[in-house]
Amino acid sequence: MDNHPVTIVQPTLWGDLDDGWEAQPGSGTSPSAPARPSRNAFTSLRGHTERIVAHSSDRVAWLRARAMGITATDVARLASLRAVDAVVADKRYGSRFAGNVYTEHGKEREPVIASWVAATHGILPSAHLFHAATNRAHLATPDGVGQDRDGRLLLAEIKTTSSGWKRVPRHYMRQVWWQQYVLGADRTLFVWETHDDFVPVADEPECRWIDRDDDAIRGLIVLADLVLDRLRDAR
């Protein structure tokens, strides 16, 4: 990336790209890559915007809303029943993890990577917290929201890593499936940038499409509701 400067797209819900913008082929671009986002994208996806709970720019409201429900970040940890107690404890008392140099690097790189996603796949940055259509306590904040040529919802999730991945780590798969459930999407572009001592190792990030898995989602809903039930019982 250092040899190919990227114009940063500000992390708004749908973005605000120039009229002359066109999707360009890039690394990992699907043969059925989405068309240029239409100007009426906000209207066509209104069903999702009506379920916006908060925006990450309002830190207090965003954290308060996340504390009242279970998010994709929470669900990523729910590999089994044994993980439920740990998630419940963190929701009740707060997590001891306050970030580190790796998470700070990820925050710094996310807008740059999001710009690449917008330019190559037409999925625009999002910073909103959404609730599911059938349960307001089921929450998710995808890194990108867009639509394909047929108007179907597409999501993006962005990561940075110091390890080369041959496959998407399982906990990130759970995070992606939960986001798909909350927003009603069938596909997510999972994007990761590998770095060596916080310097990107390639000019472009890698990416892979992840399809919805309803069987996995049903299992995650059971575990998520168990967390919520235990939190209610503890009040």
Side-chain angles (χ1 to χ4, degrees), residues 39-77:
R39 287 298 179 181
N40 67 349
F42 185 91
T43 300
S44 64
L45 295 175
R46 183 175 296 162
H48 300 86
T49 63
E50 288 175 350
R51 290 191 273 114
I52 292 172
V53 178
H55 190 279
S56 63
S57 61
D58 186 342
R59 188 72 175 170
V60 173
W62 188 70
L63 289 174
R64 182 181 296 120
R66 286 171 59 88
M68 297 299 292
I70 186 160
T71 69
T73 302
D74 298 324
V75 170
R77 300 171 56 194

Side-chain angles (χ1 to χ4, degrees), residues 1-216:
M1 280 190 171
D2 294 341
N3 296 327
H4 300 276
V6 179
T7 300
I8 304 299
V9 178
Q10 294 300 319
T12 56
L13 179 59
W14 308 116
D16 186 17
L17 302 180
D18 294 337
D19 287 337
W21 184 90
E22 295 291 340
Q24 300 295 322
S27 172
T29 303
S30 166
S32 59
R36 177 187 185 276
S38 62
R39 287 298 179 181
N40 67 349
F42 185 91
T43 300
S44 64
L45 295 175
R46 183 175 296 162
H48 300 86
T49 63
E50 288 175 350
R51 290 191 273 114
I52 292 172
V53 178
H55 190 279
S56 63
S57 61
D58 186 342
R59 188 72 175 170
V60 173
W62 188 70
L63 289 174
R64 182 181 296 120
R66 286 171 59 88
M68 297 299 292
I70 186 160
T71 69
T73 302
D74 298 324
V75 170
R77 300 171 56 194
L78 293 178
S80 66
L81 281 171
R82 289 182 297 178
V84 169
D85 288 339
V87 174
V88 169
D90 281 354
K91 298 294 287 186
R92 288 189 66 192
Y93 306 114
S95 173
R96 295 179 181 179
F97 180 72
N100 54 34
V101 291
Y102 293 97
T103 55
E104 290 304 312
H105 174 77
K107 291 177 184 177
E108 179 182 325
R109 293 298 298 168
E110 183 176 323
V112 179
I113 301 170
S115 183
W116 179 88
V117 172
T120 58
H121 292 80
I123 303 174
L124 305 182
S126 173
H128 282 86
L129 178 68
F130 296 85
H131 69 75
T134 57
N135 192 324
R136 294 183 65 89
H138 293 171
L139 307 169
T141 306
D143 292 328
V145 181
Q147 55 186 337
D148 65 13
R149 295 181 186 276
D150 297 321
R152 292 171 298 195
L153 191 67
L154 298 173
L155 304 180
E157 183 62 22
I158 295 170
K159 304 295 182 185
T160 59
T161 177
S162 59
S163 304
W165 291 337
K166 293 183 178 180
R167 63 181 63 184
V168 178
R170 192 69 179 177
H171 59 289
Y172 289 146
M173 295 287 287
R174 291 192 290 271
Q175 182 179 13
V176 164
W177 287 327
W178 187 258
Q179 292 172 350
Q180 291 170 342
Y181 151 65
V182 169
L183 277 90
D186 290 324
R187 300 190 83 199
T188 296
L189 186 70
F190 187 86
V191 186
W192 70 97
E193 181 184 74
T194 305
H195 63 87
D196 181 7
D197 198 20
F198 306 110
V199 177
V201 301
D203 291 335
E204 292 186 327
E206 298 179 74
C207 63
R208 181 175 301 173
W209 286 104
I210 297 176
D211 292 323
R212 184 183 177 106
D213 185 331
D214 284 322
D215 288 337

